Amino acid sequence: MKVLVTGGSGFIGSYVVRDLVEAGKKVLNFDLVPPEERNCKFVKGNILNFGQVLKVLESVDVVCHVGAIGDVYRAEENPRLASEVNVLGTVNLLEAARVRGIKRFIYTSTWEVYGDVEDQVLTEETANKPHHPYNITKYCGDLMVQCYSWFYELPAVILRIGTAYGVGMRDKAVIPLFINKALKGEGITLHGTGKQGRQFVHARDLGKAFVKVVDSSVTGIFNLAGNELITVEMIIERVKKKISSVKIKKEPARKGDIQPIPISSVKVKKALGWKPEVSFNQGFEELFEYYAHNLGKGCYSAR
Ligand SMILES: NC(=O)c1ccc[n+]([C@@H]2O[C@H](COP(=O)([O-])OP(=O)(O)OC[C@H]3O[C@@H](n4cnc5c(N)ncnc54)[C@H](O)[C@@H]3O)[C@@H](O)[C@H]2O)c1
């Protein structure tokens, strides 16, 4: 089976590529930048170039569309670029998949497409109320996948994933940021109460989920999140256990800091038997060890 992974040089994409290669798939990584690890064929290209996209989809069976402007802050600063890449880029892939008769299309969406909801638990049935530029661009992509699935009958899967973490993640994300500050002897800034948080999911668990999805015939929307709700306060406690001298500076809450809402992954567990296996404790320890040995090196994927 030949699988095209867009954004295979990025954080999540590199785990997806690695696991698909290990599972015996013929993988093609289509990205703007080359990957750190050359474990499959790499095609340098831009999802905004429809000619390139059409060409690279020749003789591909399955598309895993992971590539995007995945950095929330970059999308805030440049909503035009985020809209182009996350919406038009997704439509280019969908249209090329339709023309090429691709067997299945897997889209990497996010739990953030649910937006500012009042539900107690986020399920695939939760109504979407995104307001943030990044969330809206991802939701537009999500809707276009639903459109191609319904109107053009393209078999498609939408994975709405929790906040991903693991080695290779962006350094400015909260876990690496706090660890690196503490390792450098700098203080950590705590905005608000510290009760804001996320349902993190380890990138290794996501790689395994993509393999299960590729090997299955499921279609539709699936949430993929970790088991634990982790608050900023809990991350600070863990950092303090490692480096007790770290100083905490309190600042007012920032716009957009949200209280954690549990994300249900029951549907994907039932359909595919997927469940997260990396505990937050294990994932945190691995990240801490990585930064302790690579202080200042930064994450490897170019973004
Ligand atoms: N990181 C998270 O916590 C998280 C959570 C939920 C969903 N997602 C989604 O997962 C996907 C991957 O996120 P990530 O954190 O690994 O991001 P990332 O920035 O690490 O990876 C994105 C990759 O896409 C590539 N890319 C960007 N624009 C491109 C273009 N025009 N043409 C070709 N390639 C292009 C980049 O070069 C990069 O390698 C994104 O779709 C993101 O929205 C991420």
Side-chain angles (χ1 to χ4, degrees):
M1 183 193 288
K2 198 164 171 188
V3 185
L4 177 102
V5 180
T6 66
S9 307
F11 165 45
I12 296 172
S14 59
Y15 284 83
V16 173
V17 165
R18 199 178 305 151
D19 280 6
L20 286 170
V21 169
E22 275 175 19
K25 317 292 174 206
K26 263 192 187 170
V27 182
L28 204 62
N29 169 17
F30 184 74
D31 199 306
L32 284 175
V33 294
E36 171 96 347
E37 190 184 336
R38 282 289 178 110
N39 48 7
C40 71
K41 188 172 175 197
F42 168 67
V43 178
K44 188 177 161 78
N46 190 336
I47 59 172
L48 291 175
N49 183 328
F50 184 65
Q52 281 180 1
V53 172
L54 199 58
K55 186 160 187 292
V56 80
L57 255 69
E58 216 173 11
S59 75
V60 162
D61 300 299
V62 176
V63 172
C64 292
H65 178 32
V66 186
I69 300 297
D71 180 345
V72 173
Y73 302 112
R74 205 170 156 211
E76 271 177 22
E77 282 159 17
N78 200 338
R80 281 193 69 247
L81 176 71
S83 303
E84 273 182 355
V85 176
N86 297 357
V87 188
L88 184 58
T90 299
V91 177
N92 280 343
L93 279 149
L94 285 163
E95 182 55 16
R98 181 173 80 92
V99 172
R100 293 286 185 214
I102 295 300
K103 293 191 187 98
R104 291 174 77 238
F105 190 97
I106 300 157
Y107 174 68
T108 315
S109 188
T110 163
W111 70 280
E112 288 172 286
V113 300
Y114 293 113
D116 306 322
V117 295
E118 281 158 22
D119 292 19
Q120 298 301 303
V121 179
L122 297 179
T123 73
E124 292 80 357
E125 306 302 318
T126 299
N128 302 82
K129 292 181 189 164
H131 290 114
H132 186 277
Y134 168 75
N135 303 353
I136 290 177
T137 64
K138 291 300 292 182
Y139 186 48
C140 289
D142 189 312
L143 282 174
M144 286 309 298
V145 178
Q146 293 182 49
C147 163
Y148 268 73
S149 162
W150 181 77
F151 194 78
Y152 299 108
E153 298 182 357
L154 176 71
V157 179
I158 294 172
L159 300 175
R160 292 184 176 159
I161 67 178
T163 303
Y165 77 110
V167 172
M169 72 190 297
R170 273 178 282 281
D171 289 336
K172 56 190 168 185
V174 64
I175 311 171
L177 184 75
F178 286 2
I179 292 175
N180 282 321
K181 290 261 182 201
L183 285 168
K184 287 180 195 157
E186 297 171 6
I188 289 177
T189 305
L190 167 62
H191 291 274
T193 60
K195 303 284 181 214
Q196 65 275 32
R198 295 283 186 268
Q199 198 159 333
F200 289 99
V201 58
H202 198 278
R204 270 208 303 281
D205 282 326
L206 292 176
K208 292 202 172 78
F210 272 80
V211 174
K212 278 187 182 282
V213 174
V214 166
D215 279 338
S216 75
S217 56
V218 297
T219 54
I221 301 174
F222 296 92
N223 290 341
L224 282 180
N227 284 328
E228 303 150 277
L229 271 175
I230 305 293
T231 63
V232 169
E233 212 173 32
M234 289 158 84
I235 299 169
I236 290 180
E237 279 316 307
R238 281 181 191 276
V239 174
K240 269 177 153 176
K241 269 194 193 156
K242 295 280 184 191
I243 300 173
S244 56
S245 59
V246 66
K247 298 262 180 308
I248 313 298
K249 188 177 163 215
K250 295 201 171 183
E251 294 276 346
R254 289 175 305 187
K255 190 172 179 178
D257 277 350
I258 55 165
Q259 301 305 310
I261 307 173
I263 305 167
S264 165
S265 304
V266 169
K267 190 178 168 192
V268 73
K269 279 175 200 159
K270 277 192 186 151
L272 297 174
W274 176 87
K275 57 179 178 21
E277 280 167 10
V278 183
S279 67
F280 188 74
N281 192 38
Q282 186 187 346
F284 178 87
E285 289 293 324
E286 285 176 12
L287 266 178
F288 190 89
E289 282 309 305
Y290 173 82
Y291 287 110
H293 291 100
N294 297 280
L295 191 59
K297 186 177 170 216
C299 68
Y300 57 78
S301 38
R303 287 177 298 274

